Amino acid sequence: RVISAIIGAATVAVVFAIGAWLFSAKIGLTAALIYSLLPPVIAYHKTINLDVTMVFLITLALALFLVWLKSQKPRLLWLSVILLALSFATKFPAILLALVPYGTILSANWQEVKKHQILPLPLPLVIFPLLAGVLLVGVWPWLWQNSLDHLIKTLGHWGGQVNELYFGRYGPAA
């Protein structure tokens, strides 16, 4: 549980950094306090689960993406994409947040996209789907043999009611 608390605290620090960088230290502190006091955040940071790690990786990846937008330093975008891919390898729903960089670049280049019918993507975002797949297999020993079969079994296990731990009690997922 200590590791979960440390990762949760690091996420709060990243939320503060984003708010301070975009607005002011006062806004960053307010955002970090609000985030850290949300009941689901408190509950998840008290238990060992993958959600804490996924949220940290996504938050850090999107923070690096925001900094890349201003600096255009390729290393920041590469690191952001790698962290997004690792967040997907941690929990599959994280793939939805990978849409943020694509949507941001699409909206920033909308006139060019309309005119030329092509979206100019940086190389890290072009190879993101492949990178996410490779990292998923690379960090998950379950997929090292019979990868496709094991992935199908993993994706096919859902059904019925899902229970989750929330403030120390197991109950139906909200």
Side-chain angles (χ1 to χ4, degrees):
R1 292 175 13 157
V2 170
I3 292 171
S4 188
I6 291 170
I7 294 171
T11 306
V12 171
V14 174
V15 168
F16 169 78
I18 292 170
W21 184 71
L22 288 176
F23 302 104
S24 69
K26 193 175 189 180
I27 298 290
L29 182 60
T30 303
L33 281 172
I34 290 170
Y35 171 76
S36 67
L37 295 174
L38 291 171
V41 171
I42 293 170
Y44 284 131
H45 291 184
K46 291 173 81 173
T47 61
I48 301 169
N49 62 45
L50 295 175
D51 295 286
V52 176
T53 304
M54 178 190 69
V55 170
F56 171 70
L57 291 170
I58 288 171
T59 306
L60 186 56
L62 294 179
L64 290 170
F65 178 74
L66 288 171
V67 175
W68 171 80
L69 283 173
K70 187 170 184 172
S71 71
Q72 295 294 307
K73 292 181 181 175
R75 183 181 55 170
L76 292 174
L77 183 59
W78 277 106
L79 188 54
S80 175
V81 167
I82 290 168
L83 289 171
L84 276 174
L86 282 173
S87 70
F88 169 69
T90 304
K91 281 193 86 167
F92 295 151
I95 198 71
L96 295 173
L97 273 285
L99 298 174
V100 171
Y102 294 100
T104 303
I105 291 174
L106 175 64
S107 65
N109 296 291
W110 182 247
Q111 294 304 320
E112 186 177 335
V113 170
K114 280 176 46 178
K115 185 177 179 181
H116 301 292
Q117 299 296 309
I118 189 163
L119 178 61
L121 286 175
L123 180 62
L125 289 174
V126 170
I127 67 164
F128 171 76
L130 176 64
L131 180 64
V134 167
L135 282 175
L136 175 65
V137 172
V139 300
W140 197 6
W142 167 252
L143 297 178
W144 290 354
Q145 294 179 344
N146 302 323
S147 299
L148 186 59
D149 183 46
H150 285 167
L151 186 60
I152 290 169
K153 283 181 184 176
T154 299
L155 295 174
H157 82 281
W158 285 295
Q161 184 168 328
V162 176
N163 290 324
E164 68 178 353
L165 185 63
Y166 190 72
F167 282 114
R169 286 196 205 138
Y170 278 102

